[in-house]
Amino acid sequence: MNFFDVNCCLGTPPAETPYNFPDADALLREMDDVGIERAMVAHELARAFPVRGNQRLMRELAGHADRLLPSWMLNPNCMFAAAEAKDTLKQLDDNAVRMVRFPSMPPYAWAMAELLAGLEERRIALYFDLSPGQGLNHQPVPEPIWPALHELAVTRPRLRIVLFARKLSPHYMHVLGLLRSCPNVCLDLSAMQYWRATERLCGSVGPERLLFGSYMPIYHAAQFMIQILYARIPDEAKAKIAFGNLARLVGVTG
Amino acid sequence: MTELKPFSRYGRRALRGERLTDIPIIDHHGHLGIEPGGLSLDAEVAEVIAVMDDNGVSRTAVFGFGPDTRDVNDLILRGVAQHPDRFIGYATLLMDSPGDVMKELERCRGAGMVGLKLHVAFEKEPYVSKRFKPVWEFCAQHRWPVIIHGMDERLPRENPDTVFIAAHGIESVLNEASVRTVRECPNYYWCTSATVMAMGAIEKAVSLFGADRLIFGSDVPLNNQATRLGSVLAARISDDAMRKILGGNIARLLGLTLRDSFPM
Ligand SMILES: [Zn+2]
């Protein structure tokens, strides 16, 4: 089975972990060993310094476009870090970026209209890490995120949104509701490590809305690969979750 | 940064989607009577067995939780009775009334239970209280492992004849004091049922104190057993170490014979 990882990072993670990937070669070695074909990759440095971090990411990924695609971290709610929307969009264009990541915050559609419209227009997917805090700490998602997220998904129906959080179990109703009512929303399955999560979500919303993500190097990719491989769902559904859905989302063929 | 070692052959096979039905996999941390997905007990039992079949897990140790321990233990006994070859029953207790506690332990032993599960959140008095000594002695006498969520690490030091297993113990792998306790107390084990299994955590633990003191647990059906099994199979350790963690260690503690592999 081919795997396409929606969530991994280069650089030093914000938690003490035995592994990290200083460069693309280190990440590719791990991907080869565990059996991951392609990945959407962000750089930890961009969490605090989006300009330097995203530039560093592009340098690291140079020459690996066949397997590693950039996922830019943006921080549009931080006055210090936020660039003008038009400048951000130009840089995304110049670097042919297919996915951006937001940190945990209510994504009010009215508050970031220009940036969000630009992402929607370009079909750049928005990967949303809803976890408050960083690293290994597991906290529930702040409640105000949910209505804002729903409004965003409804008012921008062509904006592709991918959800992730380290702890989503207390928000099952919200996640399911969003997936059911908004066809432009997908879920990184590594956010749901709970009872029969793969089978139940496949049954409720279909396999097309679920994506394989590893959260490397904080988590080990193999556990989420095995979660998909061992699930009681048809092989075609597994193949979609493991590779096909994300390939379609970011416009990758093969 | 740790150098990458090769996966065990079990990890390799699992990553190809193979179920490992030729080695005995024992999940030492499971529950019944917690109503996953709104299921009643009988449906829950059937579903947990189906999940074990999907994952190639031959046996699961099960315990309950709730305020009325007698009631909870009865529920576990009812579940275990449906699949005595697949479930291993553990008693659960609230320790605040030691008199009744000893009676309940005897009752559970008479009904076939083989270990004790405690959860620190439900107790008013710390486990190291002198009042609880008879409980640890009972468990030592009958070779009952004691699995505790919220382990007080003075327990394995003060009660060297009793086996203690820290539920979610692997989450302490970067805590030097906890690692020292494992090294110094041969009666102290860690369960791998981590809410947060950091990449490399099991490799780190094995490098610090070997593979004899880690026991696979998933927290099924709260958690996805496949993901939790995967988090152990993901470890880059030897085949021998992997077999110990997946079943060998707990089989030794419980005196189970492992000539059988997966029962199906
Ligand atoms: Zn548990």
Side-chain angles (χ1 to χ4, degrees):
Chain A
M1 179 132 343
N2 276 343
F3 284 87
F4 189 171
D5 183 358
V6 71
N7 180 20
C8 65
C9 272
L10 297 178
T12 311
E16 202 184 342
T17 52
Y19 286 137
N20 61 64
F21 307 115
D23 53 35
D25 288 333
L27 175 62
L28 284 166
R29 267 199 303 279
E30 175 66 21
M31 286 167 60
D32 285 340
D33 197 30
V34 76
I36 297 172
E37 186 70 30
R38 288 171 183 259
M40 301 304 301
V41 188
H43 201 294
E44 288 290 354
L45 181 61
R47 225 181 268 283
F49 303 104
V51 175
R52 270 192 285 153
N54 292 327
Q55 281 172 1
R56 172 81 179 273
L57 176 71
M58 297 316 289
R59 285 201 303 277
E60 293 292 351
L61 301 192
H64 300 294
D66 55 330
R67 297 187 62 193
L68 306 179
L69 295 174
S71 183
W72 276 26
M73 288 200 190
L74 302 179
N75 196 355
N77 203 28
C78 169
M79 185 176 177
F80 190 73
E84 293 299 320
K86 64 173 176 12
D87 296 337
T88 301
L89 292 167
K90 179 170 185 319
Q91 286 171 21
L92 294 172
D93 288 341
D94 291 348
N95 291 279
V97 174
R98 304 300 309 145
M99 179 174 275
V100 299
R101 301 168 61 113
F102 280 8
S104 181
M105 61 171 181
Y108 297 117
W110 48 264
M112 295 178 284
E114 194 184 346
L115 178 60
L116 293 165
L119 296 177
E120 183 183 34
E121 201 178 287
R122 290 162 175 78
R123 300 295 175 100
I124 296 175
L126 173 56
Y127 185 93
F128 222 125
D129 184 348
L130 308 172
S131 331
Q134 291 176 356
L136 290 171
N137 115 58
H138 280 217
Q139 299 291 325
V141 175
E143 283 300 317
I145 286 185
W146 298 106
L149 197 49
H150 182 257
E151 196 207 326
L152 171 65
V154 168
T155 51
R156 301 228 165 260
R158 288 179 305 123
L159 179 66
R160 295 112 184 266
I161 301 170
V162 182
L163 301 184
F164 170 78
R166 290 183 298 273
K167 184 169 176 150
L168 267 187
S169 169
H171 308 286
Y172 185 58
M173 182 182 69
H174 296 131
V175 173
L176 208 56
L178 264 173
L179 290 169
R180 278 186 169 144
S181 59
C182 307
N184 51 332
V185 175
C186 291
L187 177 69
D188 176 341
L189 192 56
S190 67
M192 283 290 186
Q193 308 173 30
Y194 312 104
W195 169 246
R196 282 268 196 231
T198 320
E199 291 87 348
R200 289 176 74 186
L201 287 164
C202 265
S204 314
V205 297
E208 291 78 12
R209 314 290 291 290
L210 308 175
L211 307 176
F212 161 65
S214 75
Y215 202 45
M216 286 195 292
I218 290 180
Y219 290 156
H220 201 305
Q223 62 183 316
F224 303 114
M225 297 165 74
I226 291 170
Q227 175 177 348
I228 295 165
L229 290 166
Y230 278 9
R232 193 183 295 181
I233 54 174
D235 283 347
E236 312 86 80
K238 292 179 187 176
K240 285 180 181 173
I241 299 171
F243 196 100
N245 296 338
L246 179 55
R248 203 161 25 81
L249 193 77
V250 296
V252 158
T253 46
Chain B
M1 188 171 139
T2 321
E3 197 43 47
L4 295 183
K5 293 204 174 82
F7 287 109
S8 72
R9 74 185 152 104
Y10 307 112
R12 279 260 160 260
R13 288 169 52 200
L15 281 168
R16 290 197 297 265
E18 249 184 80
R19 287 170 180 78
L20 307 173
T21 49
D22 56 337
I23 54 163
I25 300 178
I26 301 173
D27 183 344
H28 184 254
H29 189 150
H31 298 279
L32 286 179
I34 60 167
E35 306 177 7
L39 299 178
S40 64
L41 180 71
D42 286 353
E44 179 184 1
V45 164
E47 278 289 298
V48 172
I49 291 288
V51 163
M52 290 164 64
D53 291 349
D54 288 347
N55 300 329
V57 172
S58 46
R59 300 186 194 204
T60 298
V62 286
F63 18 89
F65 37 63
D68 184 340
T69 51
R70 198 183 157 89
D71 203 53
V72 167
N73 291 329
D74 281 341
L75 211 66
I76 295 298
L77 288 168
R78 279 216 304 281
V80 172
Q82 294 185 36
H83 296 276
D85 55 332
R86 306 297 298 279
F87 289 137
I88 300 166
Y90 271 46
T92 187
L93 290 178
L94 293 182
M95 303 272 278
D96 287 327
S97 46
D100 300 338
V101 159
M102 298 314 293
K103 250 194 279 170
E104 181 62 5
L105 280 175
E106 286 294 359
R107 184 183 81 94
C108 290
R109 193 173 102 83
M113 286 179 160
V114 297
L116 175 62
K117 162 71 192 295
L118 302 172
H119 197 307
V120 72
F122 300 129
E123 311 290 354
K124 291 191 196 77
E125 212 169 325
Y127 288 132
V128 286
S129 164
K130 288 234 173 349
R131 288 205 300 140
F132 299 153
K133 267 285 186 199
V135 173
W136 316 133
E137 282 160 9
F138 174 96
C139 292
Q141 186 192 343
H142 300 293
R143 296 190 61 203
W144 274 28
V146 184
I147 177 166
I148 301 183
H149 185 134
M151 178 68 71
D152 183 324
E153 290 186 334
R154 288 172 293 181
L155 282 176
R157 291 189 186 280
E158 292 172 8
N159 304 277
D161 297 329
T162 309
V163 166
F164 291 94
I165 303 172
H168 320 294
I170 191 70
E171 290 175 1
S172 305
V173 71
L174 297 175
N175 178 326
E176 284 176 26
S178 290
V179 169
R180 200 176 322 119
T181 310
V182 182
R183 286 176 131 158
E184 291 170 7
C185 301
N187 58 324
Y188 185 36
Y189 293 73
W190 279 359
C191 168
T192 66
S193 63
T195 325
V196 179
M197 179 71 91
M199 185 177 180
I202 289 187
E203 290 90 329
K204 179 105 187 157
V206 169
S207 76
L208 291 169
F209 51 76
D212 292 331
R213 312 282 283 289
L214 292 173
I215 291 171
F216 162 54
S218 74
D219 227 339
V220 68
L222 279 173
N223 283 317
N224 192 322
Q225 193 183 48
T227 322
R228 296 288 178 260
L229 176 60
S231 75
V232 175
L233 288 165
R236 289 168 158 105
I237 53 177
S238 70
D239 295 347
D240 184 49
M242 188 61 83
R243 277 194 304 269
K244 285 178 173 175
I245 298 170
L246 288 181
N249 292 337
I250 190 63
R252 191 183 70 242
L253 288 177
L254 291 174
L256 301 172
T257 43
L258 285 185
R259 66 190 180 301
D260 62 321
S261 54
F262 191 73
M264 306 274 91

